[in-house]
């Protein structure tokens, strides 16, 4: 399909990046289950290895099935290019890798997926990187946290677990003033509900494990590059602006322009870190993404109904859904995610830790799992699971205290979900 920008989202989620298979005419994108690709001749092989010609060498770097998914996600996000990887966490490392060096830091929001807090506060230290966590609602604090060694700003659009909405316009202005790229994790919102690039994001990362695949079958991740950041404006990003010894002194930004980050992520990132998405996983995600908008509409409709109902329940203390007028983030919905505030929120229960555990155990339709963004409704008690590694203060800051459960509303019949929640809440207080 030609990339006519006039096509609507519903069309692009089905067609972008795909064309009938040139060898067989197969209408659906084949799973190119191959590790290597035959070179036309020795000259062709040399040109590919020198990055003088774009083509397929080896599936650790590129694969035609994965390439369709990359182009589709890049199109839906409005980016110049994208690289898929083995998981959302791999995507986060892949996003930071070209930007960071030992001694450098990322300024990150306190409201993040629990696994990201652990990755950023512990694991990246092994690379000599660090993260400074700040409340992204406090714009002055974000600006103040930036120092000479900061190389990126990181937040989630609709933040896990509470469904908090980040003011991407305000944060991207701060990043821009500091000459730094803004990385936005758009997993919980998806490009259907939010387009971080339109709000100034440089890179968008995804756990495709969640809504993009939508059915809880495969793990995957993606980094989308807006193509708009000037990597050569300062000497802060030598991986992209300076000569690369492994490619005979090639400069990625000078050579590939808007695709510099994407080419670097494939030619250096995937080549040497090897966090590659396999074609089978890309196939499942391509199947899921075809119905993204339809599913997100139902997710949002159900989340709105159920959060409203929960808010009035006698055993519930509070509900964080940003689509509720009681949410402090309600005022940001129209600007940041006009088609809805997603389907992820937390519920604070009267009765504390014990009530949470009993309620989770008493549910029948909801599954108690460490996942979100499935067609099935899911629930988890964050404090005893995904946010267990965090200190009590970090749990509170992330909205995952001991009396809180996180709910990911699926696409089932809303009345059935309400009935299930009602019986479990009542049983937990019996
Ligand atoms: C799940 C998730 C991740 C991590 O993704 P994996 O695919 O599980 O590695 C990162 N960010 C957010 C917001 C997530 O929900």
């Amino acid at each position: 399909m030609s990339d006519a920008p006039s096509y609507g989202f519903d069309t692009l989620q089905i067609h972008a990046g795909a064309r009938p298979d040139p060898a067989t005419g197969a209408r659906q994108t084949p799973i190119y289950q191959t590790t290597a690709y035959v070179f036309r001749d020795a000259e062709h092989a040399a040109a590919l290895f020198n990055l003088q010609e774009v083509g397929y060498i080896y599936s650790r770097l590129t694969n035609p099935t994965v390439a369709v998914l990359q182009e589709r996600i890049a199109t839906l996000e409005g980016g110049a290019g994208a690289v898929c990887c083995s998981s959302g966490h791999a995507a986060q490392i892949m996003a930071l890798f070209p930007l960071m060096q030992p001694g450098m830091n990322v300024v990150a929001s306190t409201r993040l997926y629990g696994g990201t807090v652990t990755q950023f506060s512990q694991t990246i230290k092994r690379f000599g990187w660090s993260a400074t966590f700040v409340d992204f609602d406090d714009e002055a604090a974000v600006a103040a946290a930036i120092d000479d060694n900061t190389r990126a700003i990181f937040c989630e659009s609709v933040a896990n677990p509470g469904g908090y909405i980040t003011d991407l316009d305000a944060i991207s202005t701060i990043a821009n003033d500091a000459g730094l790229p803004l990385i936005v994790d758009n997993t919980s919102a998806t490009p259907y509900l939010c387009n971080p690039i339109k709000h100034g994001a440089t890179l968008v990362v995804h756990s495709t494990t969640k809504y993009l695949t939508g059915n809880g079958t495969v793990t995957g991740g993606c980094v989308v590059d807006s193509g708009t950041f000037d990597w050569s404006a300062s000497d802060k990003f030598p991986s992209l602006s300076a000569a690369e010894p492994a490619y005979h002194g090639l400069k990625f930004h000078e050579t590939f322009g808007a695709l510099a980050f994407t080419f670097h992520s494939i030619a250096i990132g995937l080549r040497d870190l090897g966090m590659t998405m396999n074609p089978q996983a890309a196939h499942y995600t391509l199947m899921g993404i075809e119905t993204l908008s339809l599913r997100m509409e139902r997710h949002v409709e159900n989340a709105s109904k159920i959060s409203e109902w929960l808010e009035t329940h006698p055993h519930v203390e509070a509900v964080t859904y940003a689509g509720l007028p009681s949410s402090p983030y309600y005022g940001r919905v129209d600007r940041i995610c006009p088609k809805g505030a997603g389907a992820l929120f937390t519920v604070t229960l009267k009765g504390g830790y014990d009530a949470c555990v009993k309620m989770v155990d008493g549910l029948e339709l909801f599954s108690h799992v460490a996942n979100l963004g499935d067609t099935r409704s899911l629930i988890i008690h964050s404090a005893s699971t995904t946010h267990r590694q965090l200190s009590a203060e970090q749990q509170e800051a992330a909205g995952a205290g001991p009396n809180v459960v996180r709910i990911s509303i699926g696409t089932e019949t809303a009345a059935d979900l309400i009935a299930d929640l009602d019986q479990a809440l009542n049983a937990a207080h019996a």
Side-chain angles (χ1 to χ4, degrees):
M1 185 186 100
S2 65
D3 293 315
S6 55
Y7 285 125
F9 193 97
D10 295 332
T11 305
L12 293 171
Q13 72 186 358
I14 295 169
H15 292 284
R19 48 197 68 77
D21 180 47
T24 61
R27 188 62 194 88
Q28 190 49 275
T29 300
I31 304 169
Y32 285 91
Q33 199 67 61
T34 184
T35 351
Y37 308 83
V38 178
F39 306 121
R40 286 197 302 272
D41 51 33
E43 200 185 331
H44 176 222
L48 290 175
F49 273 88
N50 270 343
L51 298 184
Q52 285 155 343
E53 192 178 323
V54 177
Y56 296 103
I57 299 176
Y58 187 62
S59 283
R60 173 157 31 81
L61 293 96
T62 46
N63 171 282
T65 313
V66 179
V68 172
L69 179 61
Q70 288 172 163
E71 196 175 327
R72 184 151 320 157
I73 299 175
T75 304
L76 296 180
E77 285 288 2
V83 58
C84 282
C85 21
S86 49
S87 70
H89 270 188
Q92 292 171 191
I93 296 296
M94 288 282 290
L96 290 175
F97 179 66
L99 316 178
M100 304 286 273
Q101 313 234 21
M104 303 298 137
N105 68 70
V106 51
V107 170
S109 170
T110 45
R111 293 185 198 85
L112 296 177
Y113 176 70
T116 306
V117 176
T118 308
Q119 187 187 51
F120 282 11
S121 60
Q122 308 297 331
T123 306
I124 64 171
K125 281 191 206 155
R126 310 285 181 97
F127 308 142
W129 310 345
S130 64
T132 311
F133 292 97
V134 270
D135 177 353
F136 270 42
D137 282 338
D138 184 347
E139 288 155 32
V142 177
I146 296 170
D147 65 23
D148 287 346
N149 293 330
T150 303
R151 290 296 177 270
I153 314 286
F154 188 100
C155 63
E156 295 179 10
S157 47
V158 175
N160 197 323
Y164 316 106
I165 296 175
T166 307
D167 187 343
L168 299 178
D169 301 303
I171 301 296
S172 70
T173 303
I174 296 168
N176 207 38
D177 289 348
L180 294 171
L182 170 64
I183 308 173
V184 176
D185 182 338
N186 200 29
T187 299
S188 314
T190 81
Y192 182 65
L193 300 181
C194 176
N195 292 118
I197 290 174
K198 283 199 189 130
H199 297 281
T202 309
L203 303 174
V204 178
V205 292
H206 275 284
S207 165
T208 60
T209 314
K210 313 293 169 53
Y211 293 106
L212 294 188
T213 305
N215 44 40
T217 45
V218 285
T219 60
C222 186
V223 188
V224 182
D225 179 18
S226 61
T228 56
F229 195 84
D230 184 357
W231 304 108
S232 308
S234 73
D235 57 6
K236 288 187 171 171
F237 305 103
S239 297
L240 296 161
S241 63
E244 171 57 49
Y247 285 105
H248 310 299
L250 172 141
K251 294 179 180 170
F252 277 90
H253 191 210
E254 187 184 278
T255 310
F256 300 111
L259 284 168
F261 187 94
T262 302
F263 269 87
H264 187 279
S265 293
I266 294 167
I268 311 269
L270 288 182
R271 186 196 65 183
D272 296 343
L273 301 177
M275 300 190 276
T276 309
M277 178 181 277
N278 67 71
Q280 194 80 38
H283 167 74
Y284 282 112
T285 305
L286 280 167
M287 293 301 95
I289 220 168
E290 293 188 348
T291 56
L292 179 64
S293 63
L294 308 176
R295 287 183 286 109
M296 292 317 291
E297 273 169 13
R298 177 60 65 84
H299 279 296
V300 167
E301 186 188 318
N302 280 357
S304 303
K305 279 187 198 159
I306 292 164
S307 61
E308 254 173 54
W309 174 82
L310 275 169
E311 206 173 31
T312 62
H313 198 282
H315 298 326
V316 170
E317 199 168 292
V319 182
T320 61
Y321 190 55
L324 292 171
S326 59
S327 165
Y329 298 99
Y330 183 69
R332 288 182 185 167
V333 174
D334 276 355
R335 180 162 50 91
I336 306 290
C337 45
K339 293 202 196 85
L344 188 70
F345 55 85
T346 60
V347 185
T348 308
L349 298 190
K350 292 178 186 163
Y353 188 100
D354 287 347
C356 290
V357 172
K358 276 191 201 151
M359 181 215 181
V360 165
D361 283 344
L363 285 162
E364 278 159 24
L365 263 181
F366 280 77
S367 307
H368 184 202
V369 299
N371 192 20
L372 60 99
D374 195 325
T375 46
R376 274 152 280 271
S377 289
L378 312 174
I379 190 164
I380 196 157
H381 183 229
S382 305
S384 61
T385 54
T386 52
H387 288 59
R388 194 183 184 88
Q389 269 38 283
L390 275 56
S391 67
E393 299 83 65
Q394 282 176 319
Q395 286 182 354
E396 289 294 341
N403 52 347
V404 173
V405 290
R406 183 191 75 188
I407 293 185
S408 170
I409 296 293
T411 57
E412 302 101 326
T413 305
D416 296 340
L417 298 176
I418 288 176
D420 194 27
L421 289 166
D422 196 33
Q423 66 78 19
L425 278 167
N426 295 333
H429 282 80

